[in-house]
Amino acid sequence: QVQLVESGGGLVHAGESLTLSCVGSGFTLEFYEIGWIRVAPGEAREGMSCISGSGRAVYAGSVEGRFTTYRDKDRVYLKLNNLRPEDTAVYYCTATCPPGFATGEPSLVLEVSGQGTRVAVSS
């Protein structure tokens, strides 16, 4: 079964950090660009980042400098630093870059995302 599974979310205070993890099954993760998106309560989905198979990363302006995505052979990570209450959302990884993101590197594309991991930031 082809799927992505996110983990690492939780409840934190403003200013703290979390590291989210994304692991794939049923396909070879390293051949795909991996994107992160989030859906805040009552809001539309928002692209956060995308990382190519070689590790080139691009970010949304709203999180650049605070969020960092990186990967190893089996997982892709999203490090969330200096969290703010407005970062509260369910975070998903996808096996393609979010709309509007491009790493400039070729990649296979797979239309699959996980069940999400919830991040809640208190002030």
Side-chain angles (χ1 to χ4, degrees):
Q1 182 180 2
V2 175
Q3 63 179 353
L4 289 165
V5 178
E6 303 91 342
S7 62
L11 173 61
V12 297
H13 293 104
E16 294 183 339
S17 299
L18 283 171
T19 298
L20 309 183
S21 175
C22 172
V23 61
S25 63
F27 67 104
T28 304
L29 192 72
E30 64 182 308
F31 296 151
Y32 293 83
E33 295 175 320
I34 299 296
W36 286 94
I37 64 169
R38 68 185 181 189
V39 183
E43 301 290 332
R45 54 190 284 168
E46 179 184 12
M48 297 287 95
S49 65
C50 192
I51 186 167
S52 70
S54 71
R56 177 182 294 180
V58 291
Y59 299 92
S62 60
V63 302
E64 190 158 18
R66 290 196 302 126
F67 292 5
T68 302
T69 187
Y70 55 99
R71 65 192 302 164
D72 57 29
K73 185 176 183 295
D74 299 314
R75 289 177 184 266
V76 175
Y77 304 88
L78 183 67
K79 178 74 181 295
L80 316 176
N81 290 318
N82 191 22
L83 281 161
R84 304 166 180 169
E86 55 264 39
D87 295 319
T88 295
V90 179
Y91 286 71
Y92 301 86
C93 60
T94 61
T96 186
C97 284
F101 288 72
T103 67
E105 296 186 5
S107 175
L108 300 176
V109 175
L110 189 61
E111 294 295 333
V112 62
S113 60
Q115 82 292 343
T117 186
R118 188 175 301 275
V119 173
V121 185
S122 63
S123 57

Short mmCIF file of all heavy atoms in Angstrom, two decimals, residues 36-96:
data_model
loop_
_atom_site.label_atom_id
_atom_site.label_comp_id
_atom_site.label_asym_id
_atom_site.label_seq_id
_atom_site.Cartn_x
_atom_site.Cartn_y
_atom_site.Cartn_z
N TRP A 36 5.68 19.85 2.32
CA TRP A 36 4.93 19.95 3.57
C TRP A 36 3.86 21.03 3.36
O TRP A 36 4.15 22.11 2.85
CB TRP A 36 5.83 20.33 4.73
CG TRP A 36 6.71 19.22 5.21
CD1 TRP A 36 7.99 18.96 4.83
CD2 TRP A 36 6.36 18.22 6.18
NE1 TRP A 36 8.47 17.85 5.50
CE2 TRP A 36 7.49 17.39 6.34
CE3 TRP A 36 5.23 17.95 6.94
CZ2 TRP A 36 7.51 16.30 7.21
CZ3 TRP A 36 5.25 16.87 7.81
CH2 TRP A 36 6.38 16.06 7.94
N ILE A 37 2.67 20.73 3.79
CA ILE A 37 1.58 21.68 3.79
C ILE A 37 0.94 21.66 5.18
O ILE A 37 1.16 20.75 5.96
CB ILE A 37 0.51 21.36 2.72
CG1 ILE A 37 -0.17 20.02 3.02
CG2 ILE A 37 1.14 21.34 1.32
CD1 ILE A 37 -1.40 19.76 2.18
N ARG A 38 0.16 22.68 5.46
CA ARG A 38 -0.57 22.69 6.71
C ARG A 38 -1.98 23.21 6.49
O ARG A 38 -2.23 23.97 5.54
CB ARG A 38 0.14 23.51 7.77
CG ARG A 38 0.18 25.01 7.51
CD ARG A 38 1.02 25.70 8.58
NE ARG A 38 1.07 27.15 8.38
CZ ARG A 38 1.86 27.98 9.06
NH1 ARG A 38 2.65 27.48 10.01
NH2 ARG A 38 1.85 29.26 8.81
N VAL A 39 -2.87 22.79 7.34
CA VAL A 39 -4.24 23.26 7.31
C VAL A 39 -4.60 23.73 8.71
O VAL A 39 -4.71 22.93 9.64
CB VAL A 39 -5.21 22.16 6.84
CG1 VAL A 39 -6.62 22.72 6.74
CG2 VAL A 39 -4.79 21.59 5.48
N ALA A 40 -4.73 25.05 8.85
CA ALA A 40 -5.11 25.62 10.13
C ALA A 40 -6.63 25.61 10.25
O ALA A 40 -7.34 25.59 9.23
CB ALA A 40 -4.57 27.04 10.24
N PRO A 41 -7.15 25.64 11.46
CA PRO A 41 -8.61 25.63 11.65
C PRO A 41 -9.28 26.75 10.87
O PRO A 41 -8.93 27.92 11.01
CB PRO A 41 -8.76 25.84 13.16
CG PRO A 41 -7.50 25.32 13.75
CD PRO A 41 -6.43 25.64 12.75
N GLY A 42 -10.22 26.38 10.03
CA GLY A 42 -10.97 27.36 9.26
C GLY A 42 -10.22 28.02 8.12
O GLY A 42 -10.72 28.97 7.52
N GLU A 43 -9.03 27.50 7.82
CA GLU A 43 -8.20 28.12 6.78
C GLU A 43 -7.99 27.15 5.62
O GLU A 43 -8.19 25.94 5.75
CB GLU A 43 -6.84 28.51 7.35
CG GLU A 43 -6.90 29.49 8.51
CD GLU A 43 -7.33 30.88 8.09
OE1 GLU A 43 -7.08 31.24 6.92
OE2 GLU A 43 -7.95 31.59 8.92
N ALA A 44 -7.57 27.70 4.49
CA ALA A 44 -7.21 26.87 3.34
C ALA A 44 -5.84 26.23 3.56
O ALA A 44 -5.05 26.71 4.39
CB ALA A 44 -7.18 27.73 2.08
N ARG A 45 -5.57 25.18 2.85
CA ARG A 45 -4.26 24.55 2.96
C ARG A 45 -3.18 25.51 2.49
O ARG A 45 -3.38 26.30 1.57
CB ARG A 45 -4.20 23.25 2.17
CG ARG A 45 -4.60 23.39 0.71
CD ARG A 45 -4.75 22.03 0.07
NE ARG A 45 -3.47 21.41 -0.22
CZ ARG A 45 -3.32 20.16 -0.56
NH1 ARG A 45 -4.35 19.34 -0.58
NH2 ARG A 45 -2.14 19.67 -0.84
N GLU A 46 -2.03 25.44 3.14
CA GLU A 46 -0.93 26.37 2.88
C GLU A 46 0.35 25.57 2.69
O GLU A 46 0.71 24.77 3.56
CB GLU A 46 -0.79 27.33 4.06
CG GLU A 46 0.33 28.33 3.93
CD GLU A 46 0.49 29.20 5.18
OE1 GLU A 46 -0.12 28.85 6.22
OE2 GLU A 46 1.23 30.20 5.11
N GLY A 47 1.01 25.78 1.59
CA GLY A 47 2.28 25.12 1.36
C GLY A 47 3.36 25.71 2.24
O GLY A 47 3.43 26.93 2.40
N MET A 48 4.19 24.85 2.82
CA MET A 48 5.28 25.28 3.68
C MET A 48 6.64 25.17 3.00
O MET A 48 7.45 26.07 3.09
CB MET A 48 5.31 24.41 4.95
CG MET A 48 4.09 24.49 5.82
SD MET A 48 4.05 26.07 6.69
CE MET A 48 3.02 27.01 5.59
N SER A 49 6.89 24.04 2.37
CA SER A 49 8.22 23.77 1.86
C SER A 49 8.18 22.63 0.87
O SER A 49 7.19 21.90 0.77
CB SER A 49 9.16 23.41 3.01
OG SER A 49 8.76 22.18 3.60
N CYS A 50 9.30 22.49 0.17
CA CYS A 50 9.50 21.33 -0.68
C CYS A 50 10.99 21.03 -0.71
O CYS A 50 11.81 21.96 -0.73
CB CYS A 50 8.98 21.57 -2.09
SG CYS A 50 8.90 20.06 -3.07
N ILE A 51 11.33 19.76 -0.71
CA ILE A 51 12.73 19.36 -0.77
C ILE A 51 12.89 18.34 -1.87
O ILE A 51 12.10 17.40 -2.00
CB ILE A 51 13.21 18.82 0.60
CG1 ILE A 51 14.70 18.55 0.57
CG2 ILE A 51 12.41 17.59 1.03
CD1 ILE A 51 15.31 18.33 1.94
N SER A 52 13.93 18.52 -2.69
CA SER A 52 14.19 17.60 -3.78
C SER A 52 14.86 16.33 -3.26
O SER A 52 15.29 16.26 -2.10
CB SER A 52 15.09 18.28 -4.82
OG SER A 52 16.39 18.44 -4.29
N GLY A 53 15.01 15.37 -4.14
CA GLY A 53 15.68 14.15 -3.75
C GLY A 53 17.13 14.36 -3.35
O GLY A 53 17.67 13.63 -2.51
N SER A 54 17.75 15.40 -3.90
CA SER A 54 19.15 15.70 -3.57
C SER A 54 19.29 16.59 -2.35
O SER A 54 20.39 16.84 -1.89
CB SER A 54 19.85 16.35 -4.76
OG SER A 54 19.37 17.66 -4.95
N GLY A 55 18.15 17.10 -1.84
CA GLY A 55 18.20 17.91 -0.64
C GLY A 55 18.03 19.40 -0.84
O GLY A 55 18.17 20.17 0.12
N ARG A 56 17.78 19.84 -2.06
CA ARG A 56 17.53 21.27 -2.28
C ARG A 56 16.15 21.62 -1.76
O ARG A 56 15.16 20.97 -2.11
CB ARG A 56 17.62 21.61 -3.76
CG ARG A 56 17.30 23.07 -4.07
CD ARG A 56 17.36 23.35 -5.56
NE ARG A 56 18.72 23.20 -6.07
CZ ARG A 56 19.04 23.38 -7.35
NH1 ARG A 56 18.10 23.69 -8.23
NH2 ARG A 56 20.28 23.23 -7.74
N ALA A 57 16.08 22.66 -0.95
CA ALA A 57 14.81 23.00 -0.30
C ALA A 57 14.36 24.40 -0.65
O ALA A 57 15.18 25.31 -0.84
CB ALA A 57 14.96 22.87 1.22
N VAL A 58 13.07 24.57 -0.74
CA VAL A 58 12.46 25.87 -0.94
C VAL A 58 11.36 26.04 0.10
O VAL A 58 10.77 25.04 0.55
CB VAL A 58 11.88 26.03 -2.37
CG1 VAL A 58 13.02 26.09 -3.39
CG2 VAL A 58 10.90 24.93 -2.71
N TYR A 59 11.10 27.30 0.47
CA TYR A 59 10.19 27.57 1.58
C TYR A 59 9.20 28.67 1.24
O TYR A 59 9.48 29.55 0.43
CB TYR A 59 10.99 28.02 2.82
CG TYR A 59 11.96 27.00 3.32
CD1 TYR A 59 13.28 26.99 2.89
CD2 TYR A 59 11.56 26.01 4.22
CE1 TYR A 59 14.18 26.04 3.34
CE2 TYR A 59 12.45 25.06 4.69
CZ TYR A 59 13.76 25.08 4.24
OH TYR A 59 14.64 24.14 4.68
N ALA A 60 8.07 28.64 1.94
CA ALA A 60 7.17 29.77 1.89
C ALA A 60 7.82 30.93 2.63
O ALA A 60 8.51 30.74 3.63
CB ALA A 60 5.84 29.40 2.57
N GLY A 61 7.55 32.15 2.15
CA GLY A 61 8.14 33.32 2.78
C GLY A 61 7.75 33.45 4.25
O GLY A 61 8.53 33.96 5.06
N SER A 62 6.56 32.98 4.58
CA SER A 62 6.06 33.14 5.94
C SER A 62 6.82 32.29 6.96
O SER A 62 6.76 32.56 8.17
CB SER A 62 4.57 32.77 5.99
OG SER A 62 4.38 31.43 5.59
N VAL A 63 7.55 31.27 6.50
CA VAL A 63 8.24 30.38 7.44
C VAL A 63 9.74 30.31 7.19
O VAL A 63 10.47 29.68 7.96
CB VAL A 63 7.64 28.96 7.43
CG1 VAL A 63 6.16 29.02 7.76
CG2 VAL A 63 7.87 28.26 6.09
N GLU A 64 10.21 30.90 6.10
CA GLU A 64 11.64 30.83 5.81
C GLU A 64 12.44 31.45 6.94
O GLU A 64 12.12 32.52 7.44
CB GLU A 64 11.96 31.54 4.49
CG GLU A 64 13.37 31.30 4.01
CD GLU A 64 13.51 31.53 2.51
OE1 GLU A 64 12.63 32.20 1.93
OE2 GLU A 64 14.49 31.03 1.93
N GLY A 65 13.46 30.73 7.36
CA GLY A 65 14.26 31.16 8.50
C GLY A 65 13.79 30.58 9.82
O GLY A 65 14.57 30.54 10.78
N ARG A 66 12.56 30.12 9.88
CA ARG A 66 12.05 29.46 11.10
C ARG A 66 11.89 27.96 10.91
O ARG A 66 12.12 27.18 11.83
CB ARG A 66 10.71 30.05 11.54
CG ARG A 66 10.75 31.44 12.08
CD ARG A 66 9.47 31.78 12.83
NE ARG A 66 8.29 31.63 12.00
CZ ARG A 66 7.23 30.88 12.34
NH1 ARG A 66 7.21 30.22 13.47
NH2 ARG A 66 6.17 30.82 11.53
N PHE A 67 11.47 27.55 9.73
CA PHE A 67 11.26 26.13 9.44
C PHE A 67 12.38 25.64 8.52
O PHE A 67 12.83 26.36 7.63
CB PHE A 67 9.92 25.92 8.74
CG PHE A 67 8.70 26.17 9.59
CD1 PHE A 67 8.79 26.68 10.88
CD2 PHE A 67 7.44 25.92 9.07
CE1 PHE A 67 7.66 26.91 11.64
CE2 PHE A 67 6.29 26.13 9.82
CZ PHE A 67 6.41 26.65 11.11
N THR A 68 12.81 24.42 8.76
CA THR A 68 13.85 23.80 7.95
C THR A 68 13.43 22.38 7.59
O THR A 68 13.04 21.60 8.48
CB THR A 68 15.18 23.74 8.71
OG1 THR A 68 15.57 25.06 9.09
CG2 THR A 68 16.27 23.12 7.84
N THR A 69 13.50 22.06 6.31
CA THR A 69 13.22 20.69 5.90
C THR A 69 14.51 20.01 5.46
O THR A 69 15.37 20.66 4.84
CB THR A 69 12.14 20.65 4.79
OG1 THR A 69 11.79 19.29 4.53
CG2 THR A 69 12.61 21.32 3.52
N TYR A 70 14.65 18.77 5.79
CA TYR A 70 15.84 18.01 5.41
C TYR A 70 15.43 16.55 5.31
O TYR A 70 14.31 16.17 5.69
CB TYR A 70 16.98 18.22 6.40
CG TYR A 70 16.66 17.91 7.85
CD1 TYR A 70 17.02 16.69 8.41
CD2 TYR A 70 16.01 18.85 8.64
CE1 TYR A 70 16.72 16.41 9.74
CE2 TYR A 70 15.71 18.58 9.97
CZ TYR A 70 16.07 17.35 10.51
OH TYR A 70 15.78 17.07 11.83
N ARG A 71 16.32 15.74 4.79
CA ARG A 71 15.95 14.34 4.59
C ARG A 71 17.16 13.43 4.70
O ARG A 71 18.30 13.85 4.54
CB ARG A 71 15.31 14.17 3.21
CG ARG A 71 16.22 14.42 2.04
CD ARG A 71 15.43 14.51 0.72
NE ARG A 71 14.67 13.29 0.47
CZ ARG A 71 13.67 13.23 -0.43
NH1 ARG A 71 13.33 14.30 -1.12
NH2 ARG A 71 13.03 12.10 -0.62
N ASP A 72 16.85 12.20 5.03
CA ASP A 72 17.83 11.15 4.88
C ASP A 72 17.22 10.13 3.92
O ASP A 72 16.22 10.42 3.25
CB ASP A 72 18.23 10.54 6.22
CG ASP A 72 17.06 9.98 7.04
OD1 ASP A 72 16.06 9.55 6.42
OD2 ASP A 72 17.16 9.99 8.28
N LYS A 73 17.79 8.97 3.84
CA LYS A 73 17.35 8.02 2.82
C LYS A 73 15.89 7.60 3.03
O LYS A 73 15.17 7.35 2.06
CB LYS A 73 18.25 6.78 2.84
CG LYS A 73 17.95 5.76 1.74
CD LYS A 73 18.95 4.63 1.79
CE LYS A 73 18.73 3.64 0.66
NZ LYS A 73 17.43 2.96 0.80
N ASP A 74 15.46 7.54 4.27
CA ASP A 74 14.16 6.95 4.55
C ASP A 74 13.09 7.91 5.04
O ASP A 74 11.92 7.55 5.08
CB ASP A 74 14.32 5.84 5.60
CG ASP A 74 15.24 4.73 5.14
OD1 ASP A 74 15.07 4.29 3.98
OD2 ASP A 74 16.12 4.33 5.90
N ARG A 75 13.50 9.12 5.46
CA ARG A 75 12.54 10.06 6.04
C ARG A 75 12.81 11.47 5.58
O ARG A 75 13.92 11.81 5.18
CB ARG A 75 12.65 10.03 7.58
CG ARG A 75 12.14 8.78 8.22
CD ARG A 75 12.36 8.80 9.74
NE ARG A 75 11.94 7.54 10.34
CZ ARG A 75 10.73 7.35 10.86
NH1 ARG A 75 9.85 8.34 10.88
NH2 ARG A 75 10.41 6.19 11.38
N VAL A 76 11.76 12.25 5.66
CA VAL A 76 11.88 13.69 5.44
C VAL A 76 11.39 14.36 6.72
O VAL A 76 10.41 13.93 7.32
CB VAL A 76 11.05 14.15 4.23
CG1 VAL A 76 11.11 15.67 4.11
CG2 VAL A 76 11.58 13.50 2.96
N TYR A 77 12.08 15.41 7.10
CA TYR A 77 11.81 16.09 8.35
C TYR A 77 11.43 17.54 8.09
O TYR A 77 11.86 18.15 7.11
CB TYR A 77 13.04 16.04 9.25
CG TYR A 77 13.55 14.66 9.52
CD1 TYR A 77 14.47 14.06 8.67
CD2 TYR A 77 13.10 13.93 10.62
CE1 TYR A 77 14.95 12.78 8.90
CE2 TYR A 77 13.57 12.65 10.87
CZ TYR A 77 14.49 12.08 10.01
OH TYR A 77 14.96 10.81 10.25
N LEU A 78 10.66 18.08 9.00
CA LEU A 78 10.38 19.51 9.01
C LEU A 78 10.61 20.00 10.43
O LEU A 78 9.86 19.66 11.34
CB LEU A 78 8.95 19.82 8.56
CG LEU A 78 8.60 21.30 8.47
CD1 LEU A 78 9.41 21.96 7.34
CD2 LEU A 78 7.11 21.50 8.21
N LYS A 79 11.66 20.78 10.61
CA LYS A 79 11.99 21.33 11.93
C LYS A 79 11.30 22.66 12.05
O LYS A 79 11.51 23.57 11.23
CB LYS A 79 13.51 21.49 12.05
CG LYS A 79 13.97 22.10 13.37
CD LYS A 79 13.85 21.15 14.53
CE LYS A 79 14.28 21.78 15.85
NZ LYS A 79 15.69 22.13 15.88
N LEU A 80 10.48 22.78 13.06
CA LEU A 80 9.73 24.01 13.31
C LEU A 80 10.36 24.72 14.50
O LEU A 80 10.28 24.23 15.63
CB LEU A 80 8.26 23.68 13.62
CG LEU A 80 7.56 22.63 12.75
CD1 LEU A 80 6.15 22.37 13.26
CD2 LEU A 80 7.53 23.06 11.30
N ASN A 81 10.97 25.86 14.25
CA ASN A 81 11.60 26.63 15.32
C ASN A 81 10.77 27.87 15.64
O ASN A 81 10.02 28.37 14.81
CB ASN A 81 13.00 27.06 14.90
CG ASN A 81 13.97 25.90 14.83
OD1 ASN A 81 13.97 25.02 15.69
ND2 ASN A 81 14.81 25.89 13.81
N ASN A 82 10.96 28.35 16.86
CA ASN A 82 10.32 29.60 17.28
C ASN A 82 8.83 29.61 16.92
O ASN A 82 8.34 30.53 16.25
CB ASN A 82 11.04 30.79 16.64
CG ASN A 82 10.61 32.12 17.22
OD1 ASN A 82 10.08 32.18 18.33
ND2 ASN A 82 10.81 33.18 16.46
N LEU A 83 8.14 28.57 17.35
CA LEU A 83 6.74 28.42 16.97
C LEU A 83 5.87 29.54 17.53
O LEU A 83 6.13 30.08 18.62
CB LEU A 83 6.23 27.05 17.44
CG LEU A 83 6.66 25.90 16.52
CD1 LEU A 83 6.56 24.56 17.24
CD2 LEU A 83 5.83 25.90 15.25
N ARG A 84 4.86 29.87 16.76
CA ARG A 84 3.92 30.92 17.11
C ARG A 84 2.51 30.33 17.16
O ARG A 84 2.25 29.31 16.51
CB ARG A 84 3.95 32.02 16.05
CG ARG A 84 5.33 32.61 15.80
CD ARG A 84 5.35 33.43 14.53
NE ARG A 84 6.67 34.01 14.27
CZ ARG A 84 7.01 34.59 13.13
NH1 ARG A 84 6.13 34.68 12.15
NH2 ARG A 84 8.23 35.08 12.99
N PRO A 85 1.61 30.95 17.89
CA PRO A 85 0.23 30.42 17.92
C PRO A 85 -0.37 30.27 16.53
O PRO A 85 -1.15 29.33 16.30
CB PRO A 85 -0.51 31.47 18.76
CG PRO A 85 0.54 32.02 19.68
CD PRO A 85 1.80 32.06 18.84
N GLU A 86 -0.02 31.14 15.60
CA GLU A 86 -0.58 31.05 14.25
C GLU A 86 -0.02 29.87 13.46
O GLU A 86 -0.48 29.61 12.34
CB GLU A 86 -0.36 32.36 13.48
CG GLU A 86 1.08 32.81 13.41
CD GLU A 86 1.42 33.85 14.47
OE1 GLU A 86 0.94 33.71 15.63
OE2 GLU A 86 2.20 34.79 14.15
N ASP A 87 0.95 29.16 14.00
CA ASP A 87 1.45 27.94 13.37
C ASP A 87 0.59 26.73 13.73
O ASP A 87 0.83 25.63 13.21
CB ASP A 87 2.89 27.66 13.79
CG ASP A 87 3.86 28.72 13.30
OD1 ASP A 87 3.72 29.17 12.14
OD2 ASP A 87 4.77 29.10 14.07
N THR A 88 -0.39 26.92 14.59
CA THR A 88 -1.28 25.83 14.96
C THR A 88 -2.02 25.33 13.74
O THR A 88 -2.68 26.10 13.04
CB THR A 88 -2.28 26.30 16.03
OG1 THR A 88 -1.57 26.61 17.24
CG2 THR A 88 -3.32 25.22 16.32
N ALA A 89 -1.89 24.03 13.45
CA ALA A 89 -2.47 23.45 12.24
C ALA A 89 -2.21 21.95 12.24
O ALA A 89 -1.46 21.44 13.07
CB ALA A 89 -1.85 24.08 10.99
N VAL A 90 -2.83 21.28 11.29
CA VAL A 90 -2.46 19.90 10.99
C VAL A 90 -1.47 19.95 9.83
O VAL A 90 -1.74 20.59 8.81
CB VAL A 90 -3.68 19.04 10.63
CG1 VAL A 90 -3.26 17.61 10.30
CG2 VAL A 90 -4.68 19.04 11.79
N TYR A 91 -0.35 19.31 10.00
CA TYR A 91 0.72 19.33 9.01
C TYR A 91 0.74 18.00 8.26
O TYR A 91 0.68 16.92 8.87
CB TYR A 91 2.06 19.56 9.70
CG TYR A 91 2.24 20.99 10.17
CD1 TYR A 91 1.51 21.49 11.25
CD2 TYR A 91 3.13 21.85 9.52
CE1 TYR A 91 1.66 22.80 11.67
CE2 TYR A 91 3.28 23.16 9.93
CZ TYR A 91 2.55 23.63 11.01
OH TYR A 91 2.70 24.94 11.42
N TYR A 92 0.87 18.10 6.94
CA TYR A 92 0.88 16.93 6.07
C TYR A 92 2.12 16.96 5.20
O TYR A 92 2.56 18.03 4.77
CB TYR A 92 -0.33 16.93 5.15
CG TYR A 92 -1.68 16.95 5.82
CD1 TYR A 92 -2.26 18.15 6.21
CD2 TYR A 92 -2.38 15.77 6.03
CE1 TYR A 92 -3.51 18.18 6.82
CE2 TYR A 92 -3.63 15.78 6.63
CZ TYR A 92 -4.18 16.99 7.02
OH TYR A 92 -5.43 17.00 7.62
N CYS A 93 2.64 15.79 4.89
CA CYS A 93 3.67 15.70 3.87
C CYS A 93 3.04 15.12 2.60
O CYS A 93 2.05 14.38 2.67
CB CYS A 93 4.86 14.86 4.32
SG CYS A 93 4.51 13.14 4.76
N THR A 94 3.59 15.49 1.48
CA THR A 94 3.08 15.06 0.18
C THR A 94 4.24 14.62 -0.69
O THR A 94 5.36 15.15 -0.58
CB THR A 94 2.32 16.19 -0.53
OG1 THR A 94 3.21 17.29 -0.75
CG2 THR A 94 1.15 16.67 0.31
N ALA A 95 3.99 13.69 -1.58
CA ALA A 95 5.04 13.16 -2.46
C ALA A 95 5.13 13.97 -3.74
O ALA A 95 5.28 13.44 -4.84
CB ALA A 95 4.79 11.69 -2.76
N THR A 96 5.04 15.27 -3.59
CA THR A 96 5.22 16.24 -4.67
C THR A 96 5.31 17.61 -4.02
O THR A 96 4.91 17.78 -2.86
CB THR A 96 4.05 16.17 -5.68
OG1 THR A 96 4.34 17.03 -6.78
CG2 THR A 96 2.74 16.61 -5.05
#
